[in-house]
Amino acid sequence: MPEPRIITAAEAVREALDLALSQRSDTYLLGEGVADPGGIFGTTKGLVDQYGPDRVVEMPVAENGLTGIAIGSALMGRRPIMTHQRIDFALLCIEQLFNTAAKSHYVTNGAHRVPLTVRMVIGRGWGQGPQHSQSLEAMFAAVPGLKVAMPSTPADFKGMLLASIEDDNPVIFIEHRWLHYVSGDVPTGWYTAPLDGPRKVHSGDRATIVANSYMTLEALRAVTALAKRGCEVDLFDLRVLRPLNLSAILDSVRRTGRLIVCDTGWKTLGLGAEIVAQTVEGAHDALKRAPIRIGLPDYPTPSSLSLAEAYYPGSVDIIAAVQKLCDLKEDDAAAAREEVVALRQGVPIDKPDPAFKGPF
Amino acid sequence: MRNNDGWGVNERLAKVDPHRVDLVALYRSMLRIRTIEEEIAARYGEQKMRCPVHLSIGQEAVAVGVSAALTAADQVVSTHRCHAHYLAKGGDLTAMLSELMGKTTGCCGGRGGSMHLFDLKAGMLLSLPIVAASIPVGVGAALAFKQEGKPNVAVIYLGDASLEEGVYHESANFAALKKLPVIFMCENNLYSVYTNLQDRQPPRPLTELGRAHGMPTAHIDGNDVQAVHRATVAAVARARAGDGPTFIQADTYRWREHCGPNYDNDYGYRTVEEFTQWRDRDPIARLHTELLALGQLDTATENTMKAEFDAEVTQAFGAAEAAPMPVPGADGVGLYA
Ligand SMILES: Cc1ncc(C[n+]2csc(CCOP(=O)(O)OP(=O)(O)O)c2C)c(N)n1
Ligand SMILES: [Mg+2]
């Protein structure tokens, strides 16, 4: 076994982009800030010095137009990797993404390919508020023709990004800002982590938990605390929102009979709604309890700290859901709750959790 | 009409007689805004203002010159960098600081943060943090004025980067087509975050982007509050007369980092020389010198002014800090009207 190589997810992204630029001459980066000193939270830092401004293209503040331009170049065989520092800014691009990118291959009966990767960052924290911290993944995942990837581990940040770049379809690659700081073992060199389905993070028979992106860490913390109290559950990191492959999750529910979905977006009409619906369609006879969805309430992200505290669910809510579904004893649930709260070290909810540094 | 810095004013605008203007009032307003923002910068590290802040320090002359030409019923719309626009238009200081601290007394009750400042009483309709998003909204305010036969004007503050967005062109086209009473006040501070204008736009005058949509334009020194005021007065007169929109390019400079309380000249995206040149063109210091020469200001008056602003700022920070945090759900969610 080689020594583990611990780097952050942000470093993993940079490594993937560096590899893509060096090993594939058809790739180029495009975005506001890709060539600036900040380098998209460090993920593109210095790449312009190495590859020049034609491969690392600082773009005008013109998201929709440049998306179309990226698509046009992709039709001609280029592999653009576009970046938005906030997923909220990508709302300006949805016309091109939904109408052109998502449909070109289908409409031309397979003649067109759009090998476009679009990175979008969820900017949670520090009072960013209603238009700078949204979790809009369900909206992108609602459109056939797009693929939507949402990594949670540093190894997946790199491997799934390279898989997205290799993919001949438009891939929306959604990075939760707080995961950039998380570290883990990341292989060197070019490798891909296929965009094929969820990854099992923890095993147990009592319930099935499905989480995505940042919520995988919240869920893992809850699951670890519960395991110490003898309550073992299955935990899946969803990884890929479209194409949505739930077969492993349905198999798990057939065994546990209990399902909890916790995701980064709005609960109503969100990821959880689709996952519960497919589970009911495919395994309703196995369900022993009504599934529970954990997601954001039906209003915009408030800026104020006290309002944000009520807005974001976390590991405490996941423990409560498991307690309810598995009839957990209050003593055990309380101990698990105390443990996860202590791990946060009293850090306010508008800052990244110190317990999530990793390595994971 | 051209001054030796190369700024020029469109012929049609130059013909309009500038109002007689109270220079001391302009000075007071700029100094007050500077005092407030310096205090925000000084206190930001206390982490009571838990949201991003985009300071306007260095750019006060634009907001002040514009607002002095408007009435409370005239509307302005702004961007992420909205503090000076809000304050110059008469926005409530305690409501602003409270919003930065996420308090119930904030203009948005703590829901929006620093990039969503508005004050309906003052005619500050809204600020939006998505680049160029407030441009069409400002045009819409002007459309309402026209439809209702009101004599008012809407001013849209936009950054140089917002000219790159398609929605600017859609909005300008419509405003010119319908001769709406609106002013596109473009603050060119040369940067979008860390990216210089020349790396984002071809070398052509920004005013061409107004002319292309059939608007008269002015290119002014945005650090000369009197020039800003003159150009705005002319554009307001055009708008009120039913002659339609005007595009004004005001060249200015942001002193501090794009977002946050610090200086970032060591970051490498701009030179210390460039920064120093612009700081030496400080809009406040320039008017100060002129007022002294004109005998309209003396040290005693100035000291009284400063003491007044210091007291006001201390009081407003105190009130904001003492105000309660919102209790989730206490006022209902309020998602729908
Ligand atoms: C649609 C959109 N794209 C990108 C951003 C990120 N962003 C915030 S401010 C800014 C720079 C805007 O520059 P400018 O309009 O010149 O205003 P300034 O900051 O110089 O006042 C950018 C790119 C955004 N808020 N909205
Ligand atoms: Mg600018």
Side-chain angles (χ1 to χ4, degrees):
Chain A
M1 274 276 281
E3 281 283 293
R5 197 181 57 114
I6 307 297
I7 60 173
T8 65
E11 288 163 343
V13 168
R14 193 188 173 286
E15 216 169 78
L17 296 174
D18 192 0
L19 279 167
L21 288 167
S22 70
Q23 298 195 12
R24 293 201 62 142
S25 61
D26 52 359
T27 60
Y28 70 98
L29 308 190
L30 179 65
E32 294 153 22
V34 287
D36 80 15
I40 320 283
F41 314 115
T43 60
T44 64
K45 210 173 165 105
L47 293 175
V48 68
D49 304 326
Q50 240 171 300
Y51 300 100
D54 291 338
R55 303 285 307 287
V56 180
V57 184
E58 185 62 48
M59 72 176 228
V61 186
E63 292 83 0
N64 193 36
L66 269 295
T67 302
I69 290 166
I71 293 168
S73 73
L75 290 176
M76 301 301 291
R78 310 296 299 164
R79 285 182 186 269
I81 305 161
M82 194 173 190
T83 304
H84 301 284
Q85 304 213 26
R86 292 284 185 285
I87 196 169
D88 317 64
F89 309 158
L91 285 175
L92 277 73
C93 320
I94 60 177
E95 192 287 310
Q96 285 291 342
L97 288 175
F98 286 17
N99 279 332
T100 314
K103 295 173 177 54
S104 283
H105 187 70
Y106 177 81
V107 170
T108 60
N109 208 10
H112 280 170
R113 276 155 201 245
V114 183
L116 163 71
T117 301
V118 188
R119 297 175 54 208
M120 303 178 185
V121 179
I122 296 175
R124 177 174 169 180
W126 198 249
Q128 299 275 330
Q131 302 183 5
H132 273 58
S133 54
Q134 297 177 82
S135 294
L136 299 170
E137 57 279 359
M139 189 185 81
F140 290 95
V143 180
L146 299 179
K147 293 189 177 182
V148 179
M150 260 184 123
S152 72
T153 64
D156 264 354
F157 266 79
K158 178 174 171 183
M160 289 171 73
L161 184 52
L162 287 172
S164 304
I165 293 165
E166 279 187 357
D167 204 293
D168 280 341
N169 299 285
V171 181
I172 309 299
F173 191 85
I174 302 177
E175 304 169 23
H176 195 290
R177 173 88 172 91
W178 284 0
L179 294 175
H180 278 166
Y181 309 113
V182 170
S183 61
D185 188 5
V186 177
T188 54
W190 189 295
Y191 69 93
T192 56
L195 307 179
D196 57 359
R199 178 178 60 95
K200 199 171 197 181
V201 179
H202 190 96
S203 297
D205 290 333
R206 301 281 297 271
T208 303
I209 302 182
V210 183
N212 76 328
S213 180
Y214 172 77
M215 288 307 278
T216 307
L217 296 194
E218 291 281 354
L220 181 59
R221 181 158 63 183
V223 164
T224 309
L226 288 165
K228 288 188 198 160
R229 277 93 203 166
C231 178
E232 300 279 5
V233 301
D234 268 358
L235 171 61
F236 290 92
D237 171 9
L238 190 61
R239 295 177 73 252
V240 184
L241 279 52
R242 184 180 276 275
L244 188 61
N245 172 5
L246 298 180
S247 57
I249 289 163
L250 261 66
D251 285 346
S252 168
V253 173
R254 286 192 188 99
R255 192 158 40 73
T256 65
R258 294 168 169 88
L259 174 66
I260 296 165
V261 184
C262 47
D263 69 84
T264 38
W266 283 301
K267 179 176 147 185
T268 305
L269 292 163
L271 275 184
E274 180 62 27
I275 293 170
V276 168
Q278 290 200 26
T279 305
V280 171
E281 282 173 346
H284 85 278
D285 47 337
L287 284 169
K288 297 185 183 124
R289 292 284 174 90
I292 293 180
R293 288 176 292 156
I294 296 173
L296 301 178
D298 271 338
Y299 53 92
T301 322
S303 171
S304 177
L305 175 60
S306 68
L307 298 177
E309 276 163 0
Y311 190 71
Y312 286 108
S315 38
V316 169
D317 304 273
I318 297 166
I319 290 170
V322 173
Q323 181 180 15
K324 189 169 170 212
L325 284 197
C326 302
D327 302 317
L328 216 62
K329 282 201 291 268
E330 173 53 25
D331 282 359
D332 288 338
R337 245 184 347 251
E338 265 167 45
E339 180 178 323
V340 301
V341 169
L343 281 169
R344 235 203 118 82
Q345 297 168 27
V347 168
I349 188 107
D350 59 353
K351 288 189 173 180
D353 193 317
F356 289 156
K357 282 244 154 59
F360 283 98
Chain B
M1 204 172 95
R2 214 156 247 290
N3 65 18
N4 51 13
D5 294 311
W7 283 289
V9 176
N10 176 290
E11 284 301 308
R12 271 166 87 188
L13 292 175
K15 280 188 201 124
V16 183
D17 252 358
H19 278 335
R20 290 180 60 81
V21 50
D22 180 349
L23 293 181
V24 177
L26 297 180
Y27 182 75
R28 276 182 60 89
S29 183
M30 287 196 293
L31 186 63
R32 176 172 175 268
I33 295 169
R34 175 75 55 89
T35 309
I36 293 163
E37 288 211 295
E38 294 281 10
E39 193 63 17
I40 291 172
R43 296 193 190 210
Y44 195 68
E46 294 170 7
Q47 306 207 348
K48 288 178 189 154
M49 293 173 271
R50 303 178 81 86
C51 63
V53 287
H54 301 79
L55 300 177
S56 325
I57 295 173
Q59 304 189 192
E60 297 90 346
V62 177
V64 169
V66 166
S67 291
L70 303 177
T71 67
D74 295 327
Q75 298 290 322
V76 305
V77 298
S78 180
T79 65
H80 54 287
R81 200 174 305 288
C82 54
H83 297 181
H85 305 148
Y86 171 94
L87 291 167
K89 191 69 174 46
D92 184 88
L93 175 59
T94 305
M96 168 179 156
L97 296 177
S98 301
E99 189 58 35
L100 268 57
M101 294 183 207
K103 300 297 184 79
T104 48
T105 45
C107 57
C108 306
R111 293 174 175 199
S114 76
M115 304 188 281
H116 289 267
L117 298 185
F118 78 103
D119 187 325
L120 295 183
K121 269 194 220 137
M124 206 303 168
L125 186 59
L126 54 60
S127 307
L128 294 175
I130 300 297
V131 169
S134 55
I135 297 175
V137 179
V139 172
L143 178 65
F145 287 147
K146 188 168 183 201
Q147 288 179 343
E148 293 175 0
K150 290 193 177 145
N152 295 111
V153 179
V155 175
I156 300 164
Y157 289 107
L158 52 149
D160 46 297
S162 64
L163 296 173
E164 293 149 32
E165 296 282 14
V167 73
Y168 159 72
H169 299 275
E170 299 173 28
S171 307
N173 177 68
F174 184 77
L177 177 72
K178 300 294 181 188
K179 289 201 168 178
L180 297 181
V182 60
I183 299 167
F184 294 86
M185 176 51 79
C186 177
E187 277 176 86
N188 173 25
N189 63 7
L190 293 173
Y191 290 91
S192 169
V193 193
Y194 306 126
T195 307
N196 193 286
L197 184 60
Q198 72 193 20
D199 297 322
R200 298 179 282 117
Q201 297 185 29
R204 47 107 167 85
L206 299 182
T207 46
E208 291 297 308
L209 301 176
R211 275 165 44 83
H213 294 289
M215 283 186 262
T217 64
H219 181 193
I220 56 170
D221 176 355
N223 280 14
D224 176 352
V225 68
Q226 299 177 69
V228 175
H229 185 251
R230 270 197 307 276
T232 311
V233 166
V236 165
R238 259 181 57 76
R240 294 208 208 281
D243 291 338
T246 302
F247 179 100
I248 302 171
Q249 173 189 345
D251 294 340
T252 183
Y253 202 74
R254 139 176 81 71
W255 286 12
R256 302 208 181 212
E257 58 192 337
H258 165 73
C259 177
N262 302 309
Y263 290 93
D264 64 356
N265 299 320
D266 56 336
Y267 218 50
Y269 73 103
R270 63 187 197 184
T271 63
V272 175
E273 293 72 56
E274 182 185 277
F275 166 79
T276 312
Q277 269 175 23
W278 278 96
R279 200 202 42 209
D280 291 347
R281 310 170 48 91
D282 179 4
I284 299 181
R286 281 164 73 181
L287 187 56
H288 185 253
T289 310
E290 195 170 332
L291 287 176
L292 289 182
L294 289 169
Q296 293 189 26
L297 191 69
D298 55 45
T299 315
T301 320
E302 169 123 46
N303 287 343
T304 317
M305 224 184 255
K306 282 186 174 157
E308 184 192 327
F309 297 147
D310 285 344
E312 184 196 5
V313 169
T314 306
Q315 197 277 332
F317 265 98
E321 280 171 14
M325 293 297 281
V327 177
D331 306 325
V333 171
L335 189 60
Y336 298 104

